[in-house]
Amino acid sequence: MATAVAAADTFPRLLAAHARERGASPAIREKDLGIWQSWTWAGMAQEVRLLAAGLAARGFTRGMHLAVIGDNRPRLYFAQLATQSLGGIPVPFYQDAPAPEMTYVFQNAEIEIAIVEDQEQADKLFEILPQCPKLRHIFYDDPRGFRHYKRDELASYDSLRAEGEAWAKDHPDFLDQVVAQGKGSDTAIMLYTSGTTGMPKGVVLSYDNLINTSRAYAELEGLRDDEEVLAYLPMAWIGQNLFSYAQWLVTGFRINCPESAETVITDMREIGPTYYFAPPRVLEALLTQVTIRMEDAGSVKRWLYRYFMGVARHVGGRLLDGAPVSFLDRTLYVLGQAFIYGPLRNTLGMTRIRVAYTAGEAIGPDLFVFYRSLGINLKQIYGQTETCVMVCVQPNGQVKPDTVGPPMKGVEIRLQENGEIVLKSPGLFVEYHQNPEATREAKDADGWYHTGDAGYFDADGHLKIIDRAKDVGKLQDGTLFAPKYLENKLKFFTAIKEAVAFGDGRPEATAMINIDMQAVGDWAERRGIAYSGYQDLAAKPQVYELVRECVEKVNADLAADPKLARSQIHRFVVLHKELDADDGELTRTRKVRRRYIAEKYEGVIHALYTGADHCWVEAEMRFEDGRTGKVRAQLAVREAKTFAPQAAARAA
Amino acid sequence: MTAPARAFGDVILEVEGISLAFGGVKALTDISFDVREHEIRAIIGPNGAGKSSMLNVINGVYHPQKGTITYRGEARAAMEPHHAARNGIARTFQSLALFKGMSVLDNLLAGRNLMIRSNILLQALRIGPALREEVHHRRRVEEIIDFLEIQHVRKTPVGRLPYGLQKRVDLGRALAAEPKVLLLDEPMAGMNVEEKQDMCRFILDVNDEFGTTIVLIEHDMGVVMDLSDRVVVLDYGRMIGDGTPEEIRNNQSVIDAYLGVKH
């Protein structure tokens, strides 16, 4: 890395350094009208300069916030850079957020200027304008549909740029002056966290946070300036901001904006990213697509796919980890590479991937292993907006599906009494914007950040995340009980849609299970099991048998885990109805509301712990039109086999 | 946001005293109305009222026995399809007119075939002017793809697309000819509510952004009343109403034709 880039401590300085050192090489591309259009580092620096001048002409100065709303578009990236060049703070929004949810952020951050992608976003801002009197200017990128708008607040990106061009002539060195005033501890960006309770909180991140984190990742993975990255996740998400923005400016690689949200898969194939980031749901959607297309393929192809994917599951991960593999297995894997893995990776656009990360939620082991067995170096990382995603990352060669790896360099982790992870990290946020109370709650006086997650280190020093700390309880014998961990393990089976585990203050763990109508329905049809509806299907002995197998697999897994071996599920019921947000059993984001369920299904839980072989439930159901009805059903309670803890020796 | 009162240009198309019969069946009797530049003109009526026949007269598929068609100041007894196409009248079809095995992109390029100037030899060799011309045509087609938001199916064979998308591609195919007047034959038929909303938006945008004059046949009354500037009502081949949606809604003979008359 050249010195000017290595020494730069703010994004505007990094931009200037890249424009000097690799001015002619492409920095950002966008597919538009079917062609990849690109901007070089020098070209982009010029764009940013003009835009910054335009903003300055409109009275935007150091310390002010600016809203950026839209899909990944080069001009929105320029807008972020221009804001930062002036010492201002960009606040990116989720482009699909409804207007009322934006109001609070506009008020909280006292935003005066917004740069938006298109008419859709501008309309939302006009809707909330009466509640946000500070908002003065809205600039749009795509002019489509604006022809008849007569609003003083509205102007196009192009006109702002033109204003900037004129203004820059009168103030030739304005940019150098403001950039020179910047320092690493300045606020670089503000990201609002969704906030499951109360109002969203603005997480203030400094240049130091983002740049140190990016440098740590670059060093860890050996990132170079010739990486190709697809910028396709929401700009308001920390993952996108770190891996496709901060990392981009630190390393000097290329980012590529897809044509539209629907074309991401095709665009990814064309670009062939080398460095890739995807939350589990994206990886899952890709796998589903592959599976469906394979079902439609001819019998020879299907056989080849099944056979070689079996080989890959067995061999691929070990090859990636550099573990010993027999000659025969190696040969089979090479054949599989020619027939299946190579073409499949190509279809997925993953041929050139050197490092891929996933984060955001727990990833199912099958899903994770699928990608790794194809030879894609997919790794889990752990972190939150508040830590710039700089906590743990799985090291090359030591990837375990159920841990997130050891702490990164410079990160200190302590585990609290209740298993809560508290940490210090170079990426640790400055504060919550205008919310000292929340800041104090999250970051104690000594600077330790309380994540709210519970976990523990395994024998190799890898962190294992098990649950939210407030949900973690203890069995009667005092061993750790993490309901969400069990529930996630259960939910990774396609047959199980939702699960609720009980065990806090009890002698052993039990579970209530919801089957997945689609998956189990298909399964039943293929076996010629007739059923009349959800309730009937859920009560079938064969379905109970299917669920019991899943529970026992989970138990076998748990038995191998020294800390959680006692949490094996002894008894379970399959519920007669789906847990539903309309009935208050789940939140709108499909999280289980434990306390409410424990009250509502008291009878069922009683049966789970008294050894009864069935119980009656009567539940009120709310139909979609608002009427309520009662459902009465008999539920069978079944035992599941548990296993003796195996790894006791390793635990010490 | 409400658009300001719309301004229309001169009459671009006028039909006068059109009568069309197939043997003894009178499809149209003495129909007269005009279409102004830049407006959205709807033709409505119950089944068998002669709406599609009217459209076919306008673009020259049917030759009426009586009457004149005046298009851009030039009066004729009947249109010819190729004449209509060359002079800026394009249409979409109720039953779609697409090459099912060809990609969306190729279908739209096919829609521009009347505008291709270079000869087949130059095109085959891909040299000089032919190449430049192809780049130009591809660009225009890409603009339409962008406009209709069908980038994700650019290279998908049309036959594999859901019906609502095929309708959108058919509209794109007609737009590719850069028409002055666009005839839409039941653009919403067979669509669900969401697809209808999308289609309405595209029709309004075409009218607004490209300034295209639109003549459309539609069954969905809600759509017609929201979309159109003026409406012609046909019933049994006769014109029973002509006016703004508001006027049509209060027109007694239209109400009778749709709701029936007490005997």
Side-chain angles (χ1 to χ4, degrees), chain B:
Chain B
M1 302 255 97
T2 48
R6 295 158 52 91
F8 304 119
D10 301 331
V11 171
I12 185 169
L13 176 78
E14 188 172 11
V15 293
E16 253 185 306
I18 296 286
S19 295
L20 174 73
F22 301 103
V25 182
K26 286 182 176 169
L28 297 169
T29 312
D30 195 23
I31 310 284
S32 303
F33 63 89
D34 61 10
V35 180
R36 289 174 172 275
E37 225 165 327
H38 198 64
E39 80 172 332
I40 300 182
R41 190 72 149 117
I43 304 175
I44 64 170
N47 277 335
K51 305 183 297 286
S52 290
S53 300
M54 192 63 236
L55 224 54
N56 281 329
V57 167
I58 294 176
N59 81 330
V61 177
Y62 293 158
H63 294 177
Q65 281 81 8
K66 271 195 230 154
T68 51
I69 304 166
T70 312
Y71 177 59
R72 293 164 80 189
E74 192 187 337
R76 293 169 157 255
M79 272 286 183
E80 293 298 331
H82 66 266
H83 179 80
R86 282 200 189 282
N87 285 281
I89 299 180
R91 72 172 288 183
T92 67
F93 296 83
Q94 207 174 330
S95 54
L96 302 174
L98 296 165
F99 301 101
K100 302 259 172 186
M102 271 161 48
S103 69
V104 170
L105 185 64
D106 289 340
N107 267 288
L108 297 197
L109 279 168
R112 293 186 68 82
N113 74 333
L114 278 177
M115 271 173 269
I116 292 172
R117 295 278 164 265
S118 53
N119 66 43
I120 197 162
L121 185 67
L122 283 177
Q123 285 182 52
L125 296 172
R126 295 176 69 100
I127 46 175
L131 192 61
R132 273 200 301 281
E133 198 189 346
E134 190 174 330
V135 168
H136 167 74
H137 288 306
R138 173 72 189 265
R139 187 177 170 84
R140 299 314 293 266
V141 164
E142 284 291 346
E143 282 165 4
I144 291 166
I145 288 176
D146 184 62
F147 182 81
L148 295 175
E149 293 163 17
I150 45 178
Q151 298 100 329
H152 60 295
V153 292
R154 184 185 280 127
K155 299 206 169 142
T156 314
V158 165
R160 290 217 326 241
L161 298 178
Y163 183 71
L165 265 183
Q166 291 196 15
K167 280 274 208 196
R168 218 190 283 177
V169 176
D170 197 36
L171 175 63
R173 198 246 329 123
L175 281 178
E178 298 180 25
K180 296 213 163 40
V181 177
L182 184 58
L183 312 179
L184 304 176
D185 195 349
E186 301 215 7
M188 322 278 171
M191 287 188 164
N192 64 31
V193 177
E194 200 179 325
E195 287 169 336
K196 277 185 186 174
Q197 282 173 352
D198 281 347
M199 191 49 109
C200 280
R201 189 164 57 87
F202 287 124
I203 292 173
L204 285 171
D205 282 356
V206 166
N207 178 251
D208 192 45
E209 300 263 312
F210 304 145
T212 312
T213 308
I214 290 172
V215 179
L216 69 95
I217 295 178
E218 185 49 58
H219 264 303
D220 187 321
M221 273 303 143
V223 166
V224 169
M225 293 300 174
D226 284 352
L227 222 52
S228 319
D229 298 304
R230 289 192 299 157
V231 182
V232 175
V233 192
L234 301 184
D235 189 25
Y236 293 113
R238 290 172 188 282
M239 193 168 93
I240 57 169
D242 182 8
T244 65
E246 200 46 47
E247 287 162 9
I248 294 299
R249 223 175 300 211
N250 299 320
N251 181 323
Q252 193 55 47
S253 38
V254 175
I255 297 171
D256 292 346
Y258 270 88
L259 300 178
V261 191
K262 239 189 230 166
H263 291 287

Side-chain angles (χ1 to χ4, degrees), chain A residues 446-457:
Chain A
D446 301 326
W448 291 92
Y449 170 64
H450 294 247
T451 60
D453 291 327
Y456 62 87
F457 287 103

Side-chain angles (χ1 to χ4, degrees), chain A residues 206-441:
Chain A
S206 67
Y207 290 111
D208 286 340
N209 289 154
L210 287 158
I211 291 176
N212 287 339
T213 304
S214 301
R215 291 208 168 119
Y217 273 108
E219 191 188 333
L220 192 74
E221 306 292 359
L223 299 177
R224 300 182 308 245
D225 65 355
D226 60 350
E227 311 286 351
E228 293 284 355
V229 173
L230 196 67
Y232 71 106
L233 293 163
M235 289 178 74
W237 193 40
I238 179 65
Q240 179 67 11
N241 260 288
L242 182 67
F243 295 103
S244 306
Y245 188 74
Q247 191 76 73
W248 168 56
L249 290 167
V250 164
T251 322
F253 53 57
R254 275 178 295 287
I255 59 173
N256 301 279
C257 301
E259 196 165 19
S260 76
E262 290 83 30
T263 60
V264 169
I265 293 174
T266 335
D267 295 338
M268 180 156 158
R269 261 192 86 176
E270 289 174 1
I271 289 299
T274 57
Y275 181 51
Y276 179 64
F277 186 77
R281 63 184 161 76
V282 170
L283 296 173
E284 183 147 22
L286 280 176
L287 175 58
T288 310
Q289 217 179 27
V290 169
T291 317
I292 289 171
R293 281 172 65 177
M294 279 321 297
E295 299 273 318
D296 292 341
S299 56
V300 177
K301 283 186 189 163
R302 272 208 315 270
W303 181 85
L304 276 175
Y305 177 74
R306 226 171 286 144
Y307 177 77
F308 280 111
M309 283 319 291
V311 172
R313 253 192 302 282
H314 177 61
V315 183
R318 275 161 48 209
L319 280 174
L320 262 185
D321 284 346
V325 174
S326 74
F327 180 73
L328 176 67
D329 281 346
R330 261 175 212 278
T331 316
L332 280 174
Y333 194 82
V334 169
L335 274 178
Q337 187 81 33
F339 286 124
I340 300 291
Y341 322 141
L344 188 54
R345 282 181 64 163
N346 184 28
T347 305
L348 292 169
M350 296 185 172
T351 305
R352 301 204 294 165
I353 286 182
R354 292 197 304 113
V355 186
Y357 287 138
T358 183
E361 57 203 292
I363 182 169
D366 284 348
L367 185 59
F368 188 64
V369 166
F370 170 81
Y371 288 98
R372 285 193 62 81
S373 63
L374 289 179
I376 296 159
N377 188 17
L378 178 66
K379 305 199 289 182
Q380 294 182 64
I381 53 180
Y382 169 68
Q384 28 305 86
T385 309
E386 285 85 346
T387 55
C388 271
V389 206
M390 181 171 181
V391 181
C392 288
V393 57
Q394 295 178 326
N396 288 329
Q398 295 173 49
V399 172
K400 298 196 249 181
D402 58 347
T403 74
V404 294
M408 291 175 70
K409 208 166 90 183
V411 176
E412 282 177 75
I413 295 186
R414 270 192 341 211
L415 297 177
Q416 303 280 84
E417 171 73 13
N418 63 351
E420 183 176 6
I421 300 161
V422 299
L423 58 90
K424 277 185 180 175
S425 155
L428 201 56
F429 72 121
V430 181
E431 58 176 0
Y432 292 118
H433 183 65
Q434 289 185 346
N435 197 344
E437 195 184 324
T439 309
R440 266 197 306 277
E441 236 168 69

